[in-house]
């Protein structure tokens, strides 16, 4: 069964506006193109096993020539195990590698023909183009085809992977390395190389960087180029005194929640360290006082922490806007805002994301002795409101500026933010026109002024479906204080039934007039079907189905082909520990047979 919170756009896309230019890609055309080419793209994508590791590649000729990443095959002549999408398990050999761009070539040693896709030799792509990434994230799994990821180009590099990559929003992770990046004609335009910490910064070796060294790679050459050296730190860690002080104090608190998660100083930045020090200060007593700034003042002048306005709000910008999802108690602006408000502008600067908001605040001149008003334009429901806030010294926090030192030469610069394409915006607008006004189908469940989770309306009179693990205590009872935020009201929530296996719960609120989700008997949407899910504040998230529906194992992973068996493993789900005794955080441990 599939829920219309994941709504197939086959019908809705037909309602897309025809006002776009004739040569623009409409949502209908995008959907048709995805369904047309995806089977061929998946068929040409292979898994490459070498030396106990796993990567990906793409067949680009009928006789079995494979393009991949240099860090996957590593050395010319390496013997490879090639797993094809149709289940064949064949031997292969690594040809040349270019470690300056991360380009690599391999071949299948068995006779063809094999399913393949063509590749480009010139930069036929541009910023904003739609692209599809495939590969085998986490290694190849039995019964799981290569997942399909849709994205757009936000940097169109041409010189080569490490120096000038193609950067996209098509998300790739470990195991996808060496897999292909396709354009909407099904041509290979890049090879998955490496990722950063940001979801929209996925780096791919441009195909034009293969072409100048093609003959050398075909002749089994290993191109080393200039050795990459890690830059020497320009300064010692300026926050080492703070870090050492924190760990000395943490050692005195073996039962503190943070001691279970944070074992290595490098995992903590100065802001998070200071938050824990401040928390200990709040928990201190007259008999056992604690000074959160008692560490030695050995911080250089140019990295001295300074006071900056602290608004105390948390934003979600996954929909291309800045939606308030959490408000800290006592924050200066918190009395004027509400959960679900959308920030549209700050001091006349347009805001489309949490990053925009952070940059706008960072650019403001702040005088703690004579602060200026900060003006916000927000959308609450269908209304636009103006909110003005006067920052004060009681609502500031230390701001620790990070020194740029010890950076690797190979580190990528962050790709520029990419605004919504006309096609993506058109998809969202098309779906939003189908949502009943003031009759929500997706409802936030909150505790105080913090959004806990979302719930989906199943009936008009307040039966909702949500996640068990987010709303229940360890004994299975409802966490105290959870309410449903519907419009301007916060309504009490009653837990009706929970299912721990699926992590789903039915809850009830005393209301009516909701817009219930409709259920469809379609059990298997085609791969690359565009789907959307509505969210609060009249917004939607857009994505695609990445693979055919299949039965997930009750315990453990799918059969992992890298090891040739279903592996035993210890899986740990980590979450931020809470000091609230009514909402303890539990580390869930799972083992498979």
């Amino acid at each position: 069964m599939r829920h219309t919170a994941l709504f197939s756009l086959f019908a809705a896309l037909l309602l897309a506006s025809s006002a776009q230019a004739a040569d623009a890609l409409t949502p209908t055309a995008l959907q048709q193109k995805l369904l047309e080419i995806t089977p061929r793209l998946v068929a040409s994508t292979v898994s490459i096993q070498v030396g106990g590791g796993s990567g990906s590649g793409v067949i680009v000729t009928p006789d079995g020539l494979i393009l991949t990443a240099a860090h996957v095959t590593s050395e010319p002549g390496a013997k490879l195990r090639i797993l094809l999408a149709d289940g064949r398990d064949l031997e292969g050999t690594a040809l040349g590698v270019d470690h300056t761009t991360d380009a690599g070539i391999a071949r299948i040693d068995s006779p063809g023909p094999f399913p393949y896709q063509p590749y480009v030799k010139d930069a036929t792509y541009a910023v904003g183009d739609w692209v599809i990434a495939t590969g085998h994230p986490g290694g190849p799994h039995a019964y799981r085809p290569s997942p399909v990821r849709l994205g757009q180009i936000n940097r169109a590099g041409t010189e080569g992977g490490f120096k000038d990559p193609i950067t996209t929003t098509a998300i790739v992770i470990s195991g996808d390395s060496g897999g292909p990046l396709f354009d909407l004609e099904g041509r290979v335009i890049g090879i998955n190389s490496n990722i950063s910490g940001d979801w929209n910064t996925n780096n791919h070796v441009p195909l034009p960087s293969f072409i100048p060294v093609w003959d050398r790679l075909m002749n089994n050459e290993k191109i080393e180029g200039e050795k990459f050296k890690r830059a020497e730190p320009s300064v010692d860690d300026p926050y080492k005194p703070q870090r050492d002080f924190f760990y000395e104090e943490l050692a005195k608190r073996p039962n503190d929640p943070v001691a279970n998660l944070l074992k290595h100083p490098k995992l903590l930045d100065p802001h998070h360290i200071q938050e824990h020090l401040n928390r200990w200060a709040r928990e201190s007593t007259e008999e056992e006082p604690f000074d959160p700034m008692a560490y030695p003042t050995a911080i250089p002048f140019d990295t001295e922490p300074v006071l900056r306005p602290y608004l105390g709000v948390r934003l979600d910008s996954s929909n291309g806007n800045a939606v308030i999802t959490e408000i800290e108690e006592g924050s200066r602006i918190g009395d004027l805002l509400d959960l679900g408000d959308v920030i549209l502008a700050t001091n006349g600067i347009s805001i489309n994301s949490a990053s925009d908001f952070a940059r706008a605040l960072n650019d403001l001149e702040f005088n703690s002795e004579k602060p200026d008003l900060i003006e916000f334009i927000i959308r609450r429901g269908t209304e636009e409101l103006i909110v003005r806030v006067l920052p004060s010294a009681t609502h500031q926090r230390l701001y620790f500026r990070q020194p740029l030192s010890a950076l690797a030469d190979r580190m990528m610069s962050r790709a520029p933010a990419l605004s919504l394409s006309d096609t993506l915006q058109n998809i969202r607008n098309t779906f939003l026109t189908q949502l009943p006004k003031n009759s929500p189908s997706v409802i936030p469940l909150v505790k105080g002024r913090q959004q806990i989770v979302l719930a989906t309306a199943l009936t008009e009179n307040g039966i909702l479906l949500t996640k068990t693990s987010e709303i229940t205590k360890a004994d299975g009872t409802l966490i105290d204080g959870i309410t449903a935020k519907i419009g301007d009201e916060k309504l009490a929530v009653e837990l009706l039934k929970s299912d721990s296996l699926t992590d789903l719960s039915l809850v009830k609120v005393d209301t009516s007039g909701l817009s219930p989700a409709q259920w469809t008997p379609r059990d298997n949407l085609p791969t690359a079907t565009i789907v959307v899910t509505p969210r609060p504040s009249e917004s939607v998230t857009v994505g695609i189905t990445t693979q055919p529906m299949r039965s997930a194992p009750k315990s453990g992973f799918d059969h992992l082909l890298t090891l040739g068996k279903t592996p035993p493993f210890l899986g740990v789900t980590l979450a931020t520990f809470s000091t609230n005794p009514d909402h303890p955080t539990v580390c869930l441990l799972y083992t498979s047979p």
Side-chain angles (χ1 to χ4, degrees), residues 1-292:
M1 297 260 281
R2 278 290 183 267
H3 190 289
T4 53
L6 282 176
F7 181 78
S8 170
L9 288 189
F10 283 127
L13 290 177
L14 299 179
L15 303 175
S17 170
S18 60
Q20 292 180 306
D23 58 348
L25 183 65
T26 66
T28 304
L30 175 61
Q31 178 66 97
Q32 292 172 343
K33 180 63 73 172
L34 291 174
L35 294 178
E36 172 194 341
I37 67 173
T38 294
R40 302 200 308 269
L41 309 189
V42 171
S44 68
T45 303
V46 300
S47 173
I48 299 176
Q49 315 294 306
V50 54
S54 175
S56 300
V58 57
I59 305 173
V60 294
T61 63
D63 60 353
L65 193 67
I66 294 173
L67 301 186
T68 185
H71 76 268
V72 171
T73 56
S74 188
E75 295 286 340
K79 300 309 293 182
L80 311 174
R81 179 186 176 199
I82 310 295
L83 304 178
L84 275 66
D86 59 14
R88 281 181 285 177
D89 187 341
L90 305 175
E91 292 184 353
T93 303
L95 301 181
V97 292
D98 180 1
H99 287 292
T100 67
T101 63
D102 202 24
I105 298 181
R107 69 165 183 264
I108 299 174
D109 293 337
S110 302
F114 299 103
Y116 74 98
Q117 287 300 112
Y119 60 92
V120 302
K121 297 183 179 180
D122 301 307
T124 57
Y125 43 84
V127 169
D129 284 357
W130 290 92
V131 289
I132 299 170
T134 59
H136 290 276
H141 291 250
Y143 313 115
R144 186 196 74 177
S146 173
V148 176
R149 273 69 45 94
L150 177 67
Q152 290 179 276
I153 295 176
N154 53 17
R155 189 169 67 184
T158 57
E159 295 178 10
F162 290 127
K163 295 298 184 183
D164 188 19
I166 300 175
T167 304
T168 75
T169 59
I171 299 175
V172 292
I173 64 171
S174 176
D176 284 316
S177 292
L181 182 72
F182 298 101
D183 62 17
L184 289 188
E185 299 303 317
R187 300 173 298 186
V188 183
I189 65 170
I191 294 297
N192 305 332
S193 179
N194 56 72
I195 60 174
S196 76
D198 195 355
W199 68 270
N200 70 346
T201 307
N202 304 277
N203 298 309
H204 317 264
V205 184
L207 252 296
S209 69
F210 277 74
I211 304 308
V213 294
W214 187 270
D215 291 341
R216 298 172 66 183
L217 296 179
M218 291 297 293
N219 288 324
N220 303 330
E221 188 170 338
K222 181 178 181 179
I223 304 172
E224 292 282 7
E226 181 183 355
K227 293 287 185 181
F228 292 110
K229 298 179 181 178
R230 188 173 180 83
E232 293 298 324
S234 58
V235 294
D236 292 332
D237 180 3
Y239 302 114
K240 187 176 186 299
Q242 179 209 38
R243 194 182 306 278
D244 291 343
F245 174 67
F246 169 76
Y247 275 91
E248 289 173 6
E249 293 298 325
L250 182 60
K252 303 174 186 177
R253 297 169 170 80
N255 295 323
D256 192 273
V258 75
N260 294 309
L261 292 178
L262 304 174
K263 298 295 186 181
H264 196 286
K266 296 298 185 184
L267 295 176
L268 287 173
D269 62 71
H271 289 100
H272 284 93
I273 289 177
Q274 196 63 46
E275 286 180 6
H276 291 298
L277 295 176
N278 293 342
R279 173 170 61 83
W280 293 340
R282 292 193 299 271
E283 296 170 353
S284 64
T285 63
E286 292 184 5
E287 292 76 19
E288 297 184 12
F290 180 78
D291 181 1

Side-chain angles (χ1 to χ4, degrees), residues 555-592:
S555 64
F557 290 123
D558 288 332
H559 189 73
L560 186 59
L561 297 176
T562 309
L563 299 179
K565 61 182 179 179
T566 301
F569 73 100
L570 178 68
V572 183
T573 300
L574 300 180
T576 302
F577 271 83
S578 171
T579 57
N580 185 339
D582 292 330
H583 190 189
T585 298
V586 180
C587 282
L588 301 176
L589 304 181
Y590 299 92
T591 57
S592 70

Side-chain angles (χ1 to χ4, degrees), residues 357-557:
F357 185 55
R359 282 191 290 267
L361 291 181
N362 188 62
D363 292 341
L364 294 178
E365 295 291 337
F366 177 67
N367 184 335
S368 60
E369 297 181 358
K370 189 179 179 181
D372 295 324
L373 280 170
I374 303 177
E375 181 179 282
F376 301 91
I377 299 177
I378 65 170
R379 185 175 69 239
R380 180 175 298 164
T382 58
E383 295 183 287
E384 288 192 6
L385 306 174
I386 296 178
V387 175
R388 296 183 177 89
V389 178
L390 183 66
S392 68
T394 59
H395 292 89
Q396 299 167 24
R397 71 169 179 175
L398 292 175
Y399 174 72
F400 297 89
R401 186 155 57 90
Q402 288 288 81
L404 295 177
S405 63
L407 296 182
D409 292 338
R410 289 165 66 163
M411 184 172 287
M412 299 294 181
S413 60
R414 187 185 183 283
L418 180 68
S419 60
L420 294 179
S421 70
D422 290 341
T423 303
L424 184 54
Q425 189 62 63
N426 191 216
I427 292 172
R428 289 181 172 175
N429 291 341
T430 298
F431 186 79
L432 287 173
T433 61
Q434 313 304 313
L435 291 178
K437 299 298 182 184
N438 302 316
S439 183
S441 58
V442 178
I443 297 161
L445 301 186
V446 303
K447 181 178 172 66
R449 308 195 78 183
Q450 178 182 359
Q451 179 175 302
I452 301 298
V453 70
L454 298 175
T456 300
L458 299 184
T459 67
E460 294 184 3
N461 61 349
I463 304 297
L464 312 177
L465 184 68
T466 189
K467 286 188 64 178
T468 301
S469 57
E470 300 288 348
I471 65 168
T472 58
K473 304 176 188 177
D475 62 3
T477 59
L478 188 69
I479 295 172
D480 297 334
I482 288 187
T483 59
K485 187 176 185 300
I486 302 178
D488 296 329
E489 292 187 282
K490 290 185 178 178
L491 305 176
V493 173
E494 176 188 355
L495 179 61
L496 299 180
K497 184 70 176 177
S498 294
D499 178 30
S500 58
L501 182 63
T502 59
D503 196 28
L504 294 175
S505 283
L506 287 175
V507 299
K508 179 175 175 56
V509 296
D510 187 12
T511 189
S512 60
L514 299 181
S515 176
Q518 303 298 313
W519 296 81
T520 172
R522 291 194 68 171
D523 288 332
N524 196 2
L525 295 178
T527 300
T529 299
I530 299 176
V531 291
V532 299
T533 181
R535 298 169 61 92
S537 302
E538 296 185 6
S539 59
V540 296
T541 298
V542 179
I544 64 170
T545 56
T546 64
Q547 55 194 281
M549 187 169 66
R550 71 189 195 283
S551 296
K554 293 265 190 281
S555 64
F557 290 123

